[in-house]
Amino acid sequence: MAITPMSENFSKWYNDIVYKADLASQSEVRGSMIIKPYGYELWENIKSGLDYRFKETGHKNAYFPLFIPESYLQKEAEHVEGFSPELAVVTIAGGKELEEPLIVRPTSETIIMHAFSNWIQSYRDLPLLLNQWANVVRWELRTRPFLRTSEFLWQEGHTAHATQTEAEEETAQMLDVYADFAINEAAIPVIQGRKSVREKFAGAVYTTTIEAMMRDGKALQSGTSHYLGQNFAKAFDIRFLDKDQERKYVYTTSWGLSTRMVGAVIMTHGDDKGLRLPPVIAPIQIVVVPIYRKEEQRSLVMDTVDKLTAQFKAVGIRFHVDDSDQSPGYKFNDWEMRGVPIRLEIGPKDVEKNQAVLVRRDIDGRDAKSFVSQDGLVETVQNMLVDIQANLLQQATEFRDSNIVEVDTYNDFKSVVDAGQWAKVWWNENSDLEKQVKNETTATHRCYPFDLQEEGTGKNFLTGEAADQIALFSKAY
RNA sequence: CGGGGCAUAGCUCAGCUUGGUAGAGCGCUCGCUUUGGGAGCGAGAGGCCGUCGGUUCGAGUCCGGCUGCCCCGACCA
């Protein structure tokens, strides 16, 4: 029943929340999971926050096929090499061996770029701004619910532009969209930055990322936006006739965010009692627990509950009334474990006094509880939801900031990384040395953070040479 | 892909050493009593013991094959 404490075993704590809060369950298929209604509602709320932003920035949704001809994937050399170990391939269909195997998409650059090459003829066709919501398959050897599964849900945006500048602006804009969503809706204080060459998307010129710090100090890449240059345009011959009468290759971008975000929410906000959900994306924002002994009390209490929830409904507060047969104490623990931001208790005493008891999930102890008037309750609740949202972001931000440590020697680096913190260092791009660091410490290059760059140069923590960029290293999911 | 472990009720597991009619806790169903921080009592339902084969009068238990899952490592957008 109870959840394994985080301090005892973080992985177990995570799995306990996923399964006991009914977000997902294990499926019969290796490495796959069933997303249950409560988990899927959370994903739907994430989806709608993103989809709204995509539309606001001029993108349209479309849908491309699940199956991709093998030859498409092979057109971009680095891309195919990056994905080939984890592809699921269909070789037999309809009882016959296929002439050309079909790949179950690990991502859709190739099939979408193939379509783009037919659709784009003139500068008037640009920019082309598309997004698709889809499932993709990557045959991972080691899987964890939401963080890494063989099949997962995501969105992938694909755009084509006339100029490099425009494509790079798009790449940056969509990373901003992700960061805005993560910070303001998921209450996750992400760090924006550029990936090292070793960590970038196969086929990209460069990759930008939002990195989040989990409660165990590990980093989670929570969304990525890639500038693809003309790599795919050349591989798929996507050319347009420009105003100056010249045929030119387009510049493309792609960007994606997956159900992994659910894992990020769990591991950013959760505590030993279970999940803590930011009100903006919580499937249930307030749970009502009626309390009564006798039947007369029950109808009295329920009348008040009906009156109050009608007000919630009118203003769009997402509520749930738990009138099951469980004891109140059971319900309190259960809904805290499921991360509902506010609990409302209504008993005979409250009905009599025209009051209600509110308990907020983001605070521990007595301070979490308040006795408020039923008059103006909707406003009280709305204000509290806003306050909880802000408080979760603040708690996560303070945790993150206190766990990023500046180091300039390899020894300090090792102890910081071993302590589960992030190392902020001076660094020069070098894939071989990055690999060495990973082998020796298990920490990886997370990104070159845009907001933490400094003028001039500093001492590379590994080589001691002068370095011109600030990088973050840490253990990661 | 290398090393180790496991497969028995919805879940967690015992039973195997030493073969003899399938067990516990939790959960579930029904009834009564309860209800402001994980309630109590009583009754009940629920299993081709992963699968195929072998040994035996008799296999959850012993032997072999297969399949699946978990952990550690390696790999990894």
Side-chain angles (χ1 to χ4, degrees):
Chain A
M1 215 65 213
I3 291 183
T4 306
M6 234 190 254
S7 54
E8 191 181 303
N9 184 336
F10 195 83
S11 309
K12 203 146 185 260
W13 169 84
Y14 178 81
N15 284 333
D16 279 356
I17 289 183
V18 169
Y19 299 128
K20 290 183 178 172
D22 266 334
L23 297 173
S25 69
Q26 288 176 330
S27 83
E28 305 305 306
V29 183
R30 197 199 73 96
S32 304
M33 66 170 173
I34 297 165
I35 304 177
K36 297 182 74 172
Y38 192 55
Y40 198 78
E41 269 184 278
L42 180 53
W43 172 240
E44 284 180 317
N45 290 340
I46 291 170
K47 270 179 85 169
S48 64
L50 288 169
D51 203 61
Y52 169 79
R53 286 168 169 78
F54 298 158
K55 306 265 172 67
E56 282 288 294
T57 45
H59 302 84
K60 297 228 186 267
N61 285 332
Y63 186 81
F64 292 83
L66 170 68
F67 298 118
I68 300 179
E70 193 178 42
S71 56
Y72 285 21
L73 224 75
Q74 286 166 345
K75 286 191 180 181
E76 213 288 334
E78 191 193 353
H79 186 65
V80 67
E81 195 186 330
F83 279 108
S84 57
E86 50 189 66
L87 295 178
V89 183
V90 180
T91 57
I92 298 173
K96 278 193 279 189
E97 182 131 351
L98 296 172
E99 268 183 42
E100 179 179 356
L102 294 171
I103 310 283
V104 181
R105 63 179 165 222
T107 177
S108 304
E109 271 76 6
T110 56
I111 197 160
I112 293 180
M113 291 308 107
H114 185 265
F116 275 21
S117 70
N118 291 325
W119 297 347
I120 296 170
Q121 308 293 336
S122 147
Y123 70 91
R124 294 191 178 87
D125 298 323
L126 297 172
L128 185 49
L129 309 173
L130 293 187
N131 175 65
Q132 85 165 342
W133 290 96
N135 58 337
V136 289
V137 168
R138 298 177 186 178
W139 212 253
E140 302 289 351
L141 295 176
R142 196 114 179 230
T143 60
R144 304 197 57 194
F146 291 112
L147 299 177
R148 181 178 284 109
T149 46
S150 292
E151 178 189 0
F152 58 93
L153 306 182
W154 77 343
Q155 58 68 217
E156 46 181 322
H158 296 273
T159 69
H161 306 264
T163 66
Q164 172 173 352
T165 307
E166 210 183 283
E168 292 198 85
E169 281 170 2
E170 167 78 2
T171 305
Q173 173 187 243
M174 297 322 287
L175 192 74
D176 284 341
V177 161
Y178 286 153
D180 180 62
F181 169 81
I183 293 166
N184 295 309
E185 301 208 1
I188 298 174
V190 293
I191 288 182
Q192 301 184 55
R194 188 169 49 80
K195 283 290 186 188
S196 68
V197 170
R198 185 178 143 80
E199 298 279 335
K200 78 176 175 69
F201 172 69
V205 173
Y206 63 81
T207 290
T208 60
T209 177
I210 50 172
E211 297 284 325
M213 183 187 287
M214 304 295 101
R215 290 292 292 265
D216 62 350
K218 285 193 189 173
L220 184 71
Q221 177 181 297
S222 308
T224 48
S225 182
H226 315 289
Y227 170 63
L228 304 173
Q230 294 180 316
N231 290 352
F232 284 89
K234 286 177 177 163
F236 288 87
D237 195 33
I238 312 173
R239 285 188 285 178
F240 68 102
L241 197 58
D242 207 349
K243 290 178 187 168
D244 60 10
Q245 300 286 315
E246 274 193 50
R247 293 237 309 156
K248 296 172 182 170
Y249 287 110
V250 299
Y251 297 82
T252 66
T253 80
S254 68
W255 26 277
L257 186 148
S258 73
T259 37
R260 185 179 245 203
M261 180 57 79
V262 174
V265 169
I266 297 170
M267 291 194 292
T268 297
H269 302 302
D271 66 14
D272 281 348
K273 287 194 282 190
L275 199 53
R276 296 196 305 169
L277 292 174
V280 175
I281 57 172
I284 299 170
Q285 295 172 313
I286 181 164
V287 63
V288 181
V289 179
I291 291 159
Y292 45 78
R293 287 169 195 266
K294 301 167 190 155
E295 191 52 35
E296 310 89 79
Q297 290 180 331
R298 187 190 127 87
S299 54
L300 198 66
V301 166
M302 289 313 290
D303 283 350
T304 304
V305 167
D306 289 345
K307 185 187 81 187
L308 295 176
T309 53
Q311 296 172 16
F312 293 158
K313 191 170 182 186
V315 298
I317 294 174
R318 296 189 291 272
F319 67 92
H320 172 75
V321 178
D322 186 355
D323 58 352
S324 68
D325 289 338
Q326 301 287 4
S327 70
Y330 179 92
K331 293 175 187 174
F332 297 167
N333 286 290
D334 193 50
W335 290 109
E336 279 168 4
M337 191 262 293
R338 289 167 201 270
V340 176
I342 303 177
R343 175 175 75 247
L344 171 63
E345 300 172 21
I346 287 272
K349 284 185 248 171
D350 303 308
V351 173
E352 200 180 306
K353 295 185 199 164
N354 191 46
Q355 69 170 24
V357 180
L358 293 181
V359 185
R360 49 191 289 177
R361 182 66 177 85
D362 60 324
I363 294 177
D364 283 330
R366 276 203 193 81
D367 294 343
K369 203 170 205 171
S370 53
F371 298 83
V372 302
S373 168
Q374 286 178 26
D375 301 329
L377 182 69
V378 163
E379 212 172 305
T380 308
V381 167
Q382 282 174 324
N383 289 338
M384 189 177 278
L385 289 171
V386 169
D387 200 48
I388 292 172
Q389 181 80 24
N391 189 38
L392 286 175
L393 177 62
Q394 193 189 330
Q395 287 179 19
T397 305
E398 282 168 9
F399 178 79
R400 181 199 68 186
D401 290 344
S402 62
N403 283 293
I404 297 179
V405 182
E406 220 167 303
V407 301
D408 61 2
T409 68
Y410 199 22
N411 266 343
D412 289 350
F413 179 92
K414 284 175 184 164
S415 55
V416 161
V417 158
D418 276 346
Q421 297 180 305
W422 291 13
K424 179 187 164 194
V425 298
W426 283 100
W427 185 249
N428 330 48
E429 175 63 34
N430 185 321
S431 296
D432 290 339
L433 291 179
E434 236 178 88
K435 187 168 187 176
Q436 181 196 330
V437 169
K438 189 196 170 179
N439 288 341
E440 292 174 2
T441 68
T442 74
T444 50
H445 188 295
R446 300 320 304 158
C447 68
Y448 298 106
F450 297 140
D451 290 344
L452 300 179
Q453 293 306 321
E454 294 170 26
E455 291 298 314
T457 60
K459 189 185 119 187
N460 182 311
F461 78 96
L462 188 67
T463 64
E465 294 163 5
D468 54 4
Q469 292 191 87
I470 300 284
L472 293 171
F473 279 78
S474 75
K475 296 184 183 182
Y477 281 99

